[in-house]
């Protein structure tokens, strides 16, 4: 199962991504969670201690590693460097492990603009493609709205993109833009997650704004989730109702993708 999660900033992508990763790990999957959002905070949502999370160095910031693997100088554009750097050892060697999940923090390329041809961008895209295409693990990606790291060859191996929306027209408009990008990249399933919803009436109103996109699940707004975020903790460890909402999403994804028995197969393959 390879799932990309995106949406407007602040809609709760990370809350959804962390819950899915934790639940899949609890089911016996080998899980890699990828933080590909410039505002990286997936570590805390997974239950990693905030002090430890603050010390995680994003791959994009590992200038010596990037220079070694690409033969190029990070922070520059053009020139000569490898377009297929060695990355197969990175998921195991540089991930942070917690609660059964391997976390990789990609970071973002700060120079050159969107889609720049530079060593950092090449390294991140090669790593993401390796994890999605080559490795036999469940992959949960917390993406930015622009899905910058997904290239065409990688996106075609993604099983589904979850677009998280919250009550509000800006969130809905961003979802429309993401839908177009995802279709351009031939992602096979584009599914909505309704987040921060106060009640069923609000849920039904949201559904009317994007009637052509299937809703895979709803996560209700709860004070416990906000409090967990404020304290740098995972709601997974303190809010069983939140876990129940995420479980509905997970179960529907497994039914949609056809991997209801995948946990046992993945565990067996890796043992």
């Amino acid at each position: 199962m390879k799932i990309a999660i995106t949406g407007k900033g602040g809609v709760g992508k990370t809350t959804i991504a962390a819950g899915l990763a934790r639940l899949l790990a609890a089911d016996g999957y080998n899980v890699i969670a990828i933080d590909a959002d410039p505002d990286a905070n997936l570590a805390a949502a997974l239950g990693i201690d905030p002090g430890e999370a603050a010390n995680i160095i994003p791959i994009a910031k590992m200038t010596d590693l990037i220079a070694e693997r690409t033969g190029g100088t990070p922070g520059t554009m053009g020139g000569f460097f490898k377009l297929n750097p060695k990355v197969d050892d990175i998921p195991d060697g540089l991930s942070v492990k917690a609660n059964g999940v391997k976390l990789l923090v990609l970071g973002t390329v700060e120079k050159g603009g969107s889609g720049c041809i530079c060593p950092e961008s090449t390294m991140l895209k090669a790593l993401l493609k390796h994890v999605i295409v080559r490795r036999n693990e469940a992959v949960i990606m917390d993406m930015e709205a622009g899905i910058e790291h997904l290239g065409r060859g990688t996106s075609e191996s993604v099983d589904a993109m979850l677009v998280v929306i919250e009550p509000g027209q800006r969130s809905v408009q961003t979802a429309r833009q993401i839908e177009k990008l995802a279709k351009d990249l031939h992602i096979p399933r584009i599914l909505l997650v309704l987040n921060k919803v106060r009640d069923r009436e609000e849920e039904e109103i949201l559904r009317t704004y994007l009637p052509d996109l299937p809703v895979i699940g709803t996560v209700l707004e709860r004070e416990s989730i906000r409090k967990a975020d404020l304290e740098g903790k995972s709601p997974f460890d303190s809010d069983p109702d939140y876990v129940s909402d995420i479980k509905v999403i997970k179960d529907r994804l497994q039914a949609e993708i056809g991997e209801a028995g995948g946990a046992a197969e993945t565990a067996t393959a890796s043992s």
Side-chain angles (χ1 to χ4, degrees):
M1 181 185 292
K2 319 287 185 178
I3 307 296
I5 300 174
T6 186
K8 183 182 75 70
V11 295
K13 300 184 298 292
T14 300
T15 302
I16 307 301
L20 282 174
R22 290 284 300 270
L23 271 179
L24 288 169
D27 280 356
Y29 281 83
N30 297 307
V31 182
I32 294 181
I34 296 177
D35 197 337
D37 192 324
D39 184 20
N41 52 23
L42 183 55
L46 287 169
I48 296 175
D49 179 83
E52 182 181 356
N55 292 324
I56 297 174
I57 301 174
I59 304 297
K61 298 288 187 181
M62 296 182 179
T63 55
D64 289 344
L65 177 69
I66 293 170
E68 173 197 334
R69 299 299 175 88
T70 67
T73 303
T76 63
M77 293 182 62
F80 294 95
F81 54 87
K82 296 178 182 177
L83 296 178
N84 57 342
K86 175 179 172 61
V87 294
D88 60 331
D89 58 335
I90 290 177
D92 293 319
L94 295 179
S95 59
V96 178
K97 303 172 183 65
N99 297 308
V101 178
K102 295 177 183 175
L103 170 66
L104 276 173
V105 179
L106 297 192
T108 188
V109 178
E110 297 179 353
K111 296 183 179 181
S114 177
C116 77
I117 303 174
C118 58
E120 302 99 307
S121 177
T122 297
M123 182 83 164
L124 295 184
K125 288 182 178 180
L127 175 58
L128 196 56
K129 183 173 183 178
H130 170 76
V131 171
I132 294 173
V133 177
R134 301 296 181 187
R135 292 181 68 100
N136 183 32
E137 286 151 306
V139 179
I140 303 296
M141 294 171 283
D142 183 8
M143 310 293 294
E144 61 181 320
I147 57 178
E148 164 67 15
H149 297 307
L150 284 180
R152 189 170 299 276
T154 305
S155 61
E156 290 172 354
S157 296
V158 171
D159 292 308
M161 173 168 282
L162 305 189
V163 184
V164 182
I165 65 171
E166 64 180 357
Q169 283 301 313
R170 285 181 296 174
S171 176
V172 171
Q173 292 304 315
T174 299
R176 280 292 183 208
Q177 295 166 6
I178 293 170
E179 178 188 14
K180 182 181 185 304
L181 287 170
K183 287 181 176 178
D184 289 345
L185 290 172
H186 304 301
I187 292 175
R189 300 172 184 86
I190 307 168
L191 307 168
L192 283 181
V193 173
L194 312 183
N195 193 35
K196 302 182 182 180
V197 176
R198 294 181 180 179
D199 51 42
R200 297 306 173 189
E201 180 181 357
E202 200 168 69
E203 176 183 350
E204 290 307 313
I205 292 172
L206 271 180
R207 287 174 180 266
T208 64
Y209 291 139
L210 296 160
D212 53 324
L213 289 180
V215 175
I216 197 76
T218 299
V219 179
L220 296 178
E221 183 175 48
R222 296 189 179 89
E223 177 65 21
S224 56
I225 297 176
R226 191 192 70 83
K227 183 178 179 182
D229 184 37
L230 181 65
E231 296 175 349
K233 298 178 181 179
S234 172
F236 193 92
D237 298 317
S238 59
D239 188 343
D241 291 329
Y242 155 79
V243 175
S244 295
D245 285 348
I246 299 296
K247 186 176 186 302
V248 170
I249 297 171
K250 177 191 72 74
D251 291 345
R252 288 175 178 172
L253 276 173
Q254 288 174 319
E256 175 76 19
I257 297 170
E259 289 192 6
E265 295 172 7
T266 303
T268 300
S270 62
S271 61

